[in-house]
Amino acid sequence: MVTVETAGGATGTASYMQSASFGEFYGDSLLDEKKEFEGNGVLSACAIINSVIGPALIGKDAFQQSQIDEIIMDSLRTTHLTCAVNITSPVSFAVLKAAAAAKGEPLYRYLGGASAFTLPVPGFLCASGSNRYGVYDDAQGKPNYAFVAYGFDNHDDADYAIWEVEDAWENMIAKEYGVRPHRGFSMAIPSGRITADQQMWELMNRCIREKGYEGKVGLHADLSAHAFWNAEKNMYAGLFDTQERTRDQMIETVLEMAHKYNFVIIQDPLNTWDLEGYAKLTAESGVQIVGSDVFGTDLDRLHQCLVGKCFNTMLLRVQKYPTFSDCVRAVNMASSYGVGVMPMDSAGEDEDIVDYAIGFHCGTIYMSGPSCHGNRMPLLEDMIGPRVRFFGRYGLKGKAFELRHQTDG
């Protein structure tokens, strides 16, 4: 955790969390590699922040973020490190928040100005777990599933619809499979309870239908398919069931999710090297295909994906970028290609992720429904006042939604 204080007494604090991410396109962190904390200590990183980065920033203008970020990166290079995200990111974002405080503005308004008044579509986790089919146990709880409330005129109605569907889901899965999820936590489906994820998809659809929310509440699947890819066999194994799938079979299954079930967001559906497959799914699924691990935070790789039309929405792991300036470059790059942005709290953003979503004018936000994150949404709604708007179905990307927008218009 890093705290920055301006000469006028305004402060900003940011932390960095070393989350598990799949793929090869994320920046490195500096870890102690000693016996303590199994090599994950950060005393050496803290020492560089306090003795090198901090002194270089004293007396600099907090409102000149791009210059601040250049100083941070130049200072890091004096230590013979080219990248250490757990050093540069918390300093950069702490300065950002200190500057917002010095202006007397909430973070969302400091980021987005007077035009930041539209709330993103919320979603809420309903199931997770990696090893229910006995293949992998290191996929960090993926695939995750969530309910997404998009067909509403305002955020309050969307938030309540998620609560209703989640309540029905908890009762139904307990009755059908003897599993009682605890709302607000990642519920791992234990092995031996279901034979295929399709059983859960059917039950989730049933919850939506019985509550009368078909066409208003959909599903989000965060697959992290790369974690289930066996490069030696050229097969996916243990993702949805015990069956092994070829690349073409995997594409067929994902298209079935989009066309037969209520999936409106499908994230990381293939291994990170299959850009052609990503582009096929984006073109043919009709729903929001989110790229995350396929580019990580690598701006060159992101550009390659955008040129190839590999996805219609990029996941924004805000503080996984080396600096705030790098984060903004990614957002602007996506916008220039007509690609949406979906922020996620994965590197220590916490409730600030809602400010980033509103400040960057994002149509959707990763699984931030009725929770501590979602609770910030109505708070900011009150701060925005009468101008507040809700993206609703216009927040989702995909040809199916584009057609609906044309019909609405």
Side-chain angles (χ1 to χ4, degrees):
M1 181 177 290
V2 173
T3 297
V4 169
E5 183 174 355
T6 68
T11 62
T13 299
S15 59
Y16 182 83
M17 183 176 70
Q18 186 69 22
S19 60
S21 302
F22 304 103
E24 305 178 21
F25 302 105
Y26 294 95
D28 295 327
S29 291
L30 178 65
L31 301 176
D32 293 340
E33 298 184 357
K34 295 181 179 179
K35 181 177 65 176
E36 293 80 9
F37 302 106
E38 296 185 355
N40 293 311
V42 292
L43 290 179
S44 53
C46 292
I48 291 175
I49 291 172
N50 290 326
S51 65
V52 179
I53 309 292
L57 294 177
I58 293 175
K60 301 302 187 292
D61 187 348
F63 297 128
Q64 302 299 320
Q65 186 73 43
S66 61
Q67 294 178 16
I68 291 290
D69 290 340
E70 286 183 11
I71 292 169
I72 291 172
M73 298 307 295
D74 287 344
S75 299
L76 181 69
R77 281 187 280 270
T78 66
T79 68
H80 306 292
L81 292 171
T82 56
C83 181
V85 183
N86 63 331
I87 293 175
T88 59
S89 174
V91 176
S92 176
F93 283 90
V95 172
L96 172 75
K97 294 170 72 174
K103 281 274 189 181
E105 293 185 341
L107 183 58
Y108 79 89
R109 191 180 301 144
Y110 184 71
L111 294 172
S115 62
F117 54 78
T118 309
L119 308 184
V121 172
F124 197 62
L125 180 70
C126 61
S128 66
S130 305
N131 197 32
R132 52 184 169 270
Y133 305 117
V135 178
Y136 293 120
D137 61 2
D138 61 349
Q140 302 297 321
K142 305 298 176 65
N144 285 347
Y145 297 109
F147 291 109
V148 179
Y150 62 91
F152 300 88
D153 294 329
N154 59 73
H155 177 267
D156 288 347
D157 288 347
D159 216 31
Y160 185 68
I162 288 181
W163 185 92
E164 282 195 286
V165 176
E166 283 276 351
D167 189 62
W169 161 253
E170 291 172 11
N171 291 323
M172 284 186 187
I173 195 170
K175 181 178 179 180
E176 296 283 338
Y177 299 108
V179 175
R180 172 61 72 176
H182 192 297
R183 196 174 311 180
F185 293 89
S186 178
M187 184 211 57
I189 304 294
S191 61
R193 296 299 178 94
I194 62 174
T195 58
D197 277 15
Q198 283 85 340
Q199 293 173 275
M200 287 198 295
W201 304 345
E202 294 283 359
L203 196 61
M204 292 170 186
N205 278 357
R206 181 177 150 197
C207 293
I208 294 169
R209 286 195 305 270
E210 291 192 3
K211 287 299 177 180
Y213 289 133
E214 206 156 15
K216 292 186 174 182
V217 174
L219 300 171
H220 173 185
D222 179 359
L223 301 183
S224 288
H226 187 80
F228 298 88
W229 172 250
N230 188 320
E232 293 181 359
K233 290 185 175 182
N234 286 327
M235 302 283 278
Y236 295 91
L239 180 51
F240 301 127
D241 46 38
T242 57
Q243 175 185 342
E244 291 185 335
R245 286 176 172 79
T246 65
R247 176 253 195 184
D248 290 342
Q249 289 171 330
M250 184 64 181
I251 290 175
E252 182 180 349
T253 300
V254 173
L255 289 175
E256 181 184 23
M257 293 172 69
H259 298 154
K260 182 178 178 181
Y261 299 93
N262 282 316
F263 285 96
V264 295
I265 302 175
I266 301 176
Q267 179 178 332
D268 288 330
L270 298 169
N271 80 73
T272 57
W273 297 107
D274 192 357
L275 299 190
E276 183 180 341
Y278 265 87
K280 179 178 177 66
L281 288 175
T282 300
E284 298 181 11
S285 69
V287 301
Q288 182 163 308
I289 299 297
V290 180
S292 172
D293 296 330
V294 70
F295 72 92
T297 55
D298 186 317
L299 296 180
D300 290 335
R301 175 71 170 186
L302 173 60
H303 182 259
Q304 181 184 0
C305 291
L306 293 172
V307 170
K309 299 180 179 180
C310 297
F311 42 76
N312 52 37
T313 302
M314 61 165 269
L315 191 76
L316 184 67
R317 300 176 185 266
V318 178
Q319 291 178 198
K320 293 286 281 185
Y321 285 88
T323 66
F324 175 69
S325 297
D326 295 304
C327 175
V328 170
R329 290 187 192 104
V331 171
N332 290 342
M333 196 183 299
S335 178
S336 69
Y337 281 87
V339 168
V341 176
M342 184 169 72
M344 175 185 182
D345 168 25
S346 68
E349 298 86 356
D350 296 326
E351 289 85 354
D352 288 338
I353 201 64
V354 179
D355 289 74
Y356 291 116
I358 297 174
F360 286 139
H361 313 289
C362 301
T364 54
I365 184 171
Y366 183 97
M367 300 187 190
S368 293
S371 63
C372 58
H373 299 81
N375 287 342
R376 182 159 176 77
M377 205 81 73
L379 175 63
L380 297 188
E381 185 176 14
D382 288 343
M383 292 176 66
I384 293 169
R387 294 192 308 148
V388 73
R389 296 292 182 271
F390 177 59
F391 268 110
R393 65 181 71 253
Y394 291 91
L396 287 164
K397 293 288 187 178
K399 289 185 178 179
F401 295 98
E402 291 172 8
L403 291 173
R404 292 178 196 177
H405 300 164
Q406 291 169 11
T407 302
D408 292 343

